[in-house]
């Protein structure tokens, strides 16, 4: 019984690790592409400036982005239920 639980936990940890490594590999490929193509467009700030017309909408977007990032983070050991 104990060995079964340990092996299941090991499989879950291995699957999580594999998923995280795949995400890192994808990010590295993106960075390599940026390096080879000269990076993001030089005018990115010009395209972004003025894209949100009022402060209330901008704050809502910031709040939504923050909530999304926090939801994407793995739970801390003490937070699991």
């Amino acid at each position: 019984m104990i060995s079964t639980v340990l092996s299941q936990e090991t499989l879950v940890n291995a699957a999580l690790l594999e998923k995280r490594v795949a995400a890192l590999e994808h990010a590295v490929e993106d960075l390599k592409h940026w390096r080879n193509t000269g990076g993001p467009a030089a005018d990115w700030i010009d395209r972004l400036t003025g894209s949100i017309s009022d402060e209330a909408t901008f704050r809502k977007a910031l709040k939504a982005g923050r909530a999304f990032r926090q939801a994407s983070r793995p739970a801390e050991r003490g937070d699991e239920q």
Side-chain angles (χ1 to χ4, degrees), residues 23 42-43 47-49 51 58:
D43 66 338
R47 288 186 285 138
L48 182 65
T49 301
S51 62
F58 178 69

Side-chain angles (χ1 to χ4, degrees), residues 1-2 6-8 15 17-18 21 29 32-34 38 41 43 45 47-48 57 59 63 70 78:
M1 172 81 174
I2 292 176
L6 289 177
S7 62
Q8 288 175 345
L17 182 59
E18 188 172 328
V21 168
E29 286 304 314
K32 285 180 180 180
H33 176 73
W34 277 22
D43 66 338
I45 193 71
R47 288 186 285 138
L48 182 65
T57 302
R59 296 222 178 267
K63 186 177 180 180
Q70 289 174 347

Side-chain angles (χ1 to χ4, degrees), residues 16-55:
L16 178 61
L17 182 59
E18 188 172 328
K19 185 177 179 181
R20 293 179 73 185
V21 168
L24 286 170
E25 288 172 341
H26 182 72
V28 168
E29 286 304 314
D30 286 347
L31 290 171
K32 285 180 180 180
H33 176 73
W34 277 22
R35 181 191 65 202
N36 294 335
T37 60
D43 66 338
W44 69 270
I45 193 71
D46 293 332
R47 288 186 285 138
L48 182 65
T49 301
S51 62
I52 299 177
S53 59
D54 65 304
E55 187 174 344

